């Protein structure tokens, strides 16, 4: 009999996941605790998120001797990504931090800031921080990001 996969400990993301704006990370695959300490924790103001994952394409490799066309792994891409924040009536909100063309790193600590667990890091440039205008919704700001380098996925969170 095959060995079953380890059972997951399921969790509800709100109140657990941290998302950080890190001004600088020297080595994306090995951030330091001082770099994370210098970050801004965005989680309490995030109302929605989109993207923040990688996808892989495939490349067909046909051969004349077969009607079947196998494929091999191809390019790795990251879709357009955004974070939506609550806007402040005083304008003292994310607009003062995530200004157009600001560069930094978005770090996703999905299971919280727990040393030894993992996080994903995305080197980004802020492409826009636009006001979301709706008739009956609370005011929001949507920050859009260009992911400028291959993300570092499942990187160990350093000790505190």
């Amino acid at each position: 009999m095959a060995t079953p996969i380890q059972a997951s400990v399921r969790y509800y993301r709100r109140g657990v996941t941290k998302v950080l704006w890190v001004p600088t990370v020297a080595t994306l695959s090995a951030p330091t605790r001082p770099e994370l300490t210098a970050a801004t924790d965005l989680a309490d103001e995030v109302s929605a998120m989109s993207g923040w994952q990688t996808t892989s394409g495939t490349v067909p490799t046909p051969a004349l001797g077969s009607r079947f066309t196998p494929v091999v792994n191809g390019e790795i891409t990251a879709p357009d990504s955004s974070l939506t924040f609550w806007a402040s009536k005083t304008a003292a909100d994310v607009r003062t931090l995530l200004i157009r063309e600001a560069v930094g790193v978005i770090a996703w600590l999905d299971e919280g800031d727990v040393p030894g667990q993992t996080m994903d890091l995305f080197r980004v440039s802020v492409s826009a921080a636009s006001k979301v205008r709706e008739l009956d919704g609370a005011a929001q700001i949507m920050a859009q990001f260009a992911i400028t380098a291959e993300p570092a996925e499942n990187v160990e969170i350093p000790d505190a």
Side-chain angles (χ1 to χ4, degrees), residues 11 13 17-22 25 27-31 36 51-54 105-112 117-124 147 149-158:
Y11 67 99
R13 186 171 299 285
T17 296
K18 296 291 182 190
V19 58
L20 308 178
W21 170 253
V22 190
V25 174
T27 304
L28 209 57
S29 61
L36 296 180
W52 306 109
Q53 60 197 24
T54 57
V105 173
I106 293 290
W108 286 94
L109 293 76
D110 291 294
E111 293 84 28
Q117 291 196 194
T118 62
M119 62 181 159
D120 296 339
L121 297 104
F122 296 80
R123 198 172 298 283
V124 299
I147 298 173
E150 183 174 351
E153 298 174 286
N154 300 311
V155 173
E156 186 172 320
I157 298 172

Side-chain angles (χ1 to χ4, degrees), residues 60-86:
T61 58
L64 183 59
S66 174
R67 292 177 55 192
F68 178 77
T69 301
V71 296
V72 296
N73 292 330
E75 78 280 357
I76 298 170
T77 60
D80 292 340
S81 296
S82 67
L83 293 168
T84 304
F85 299 89
W86 298 112

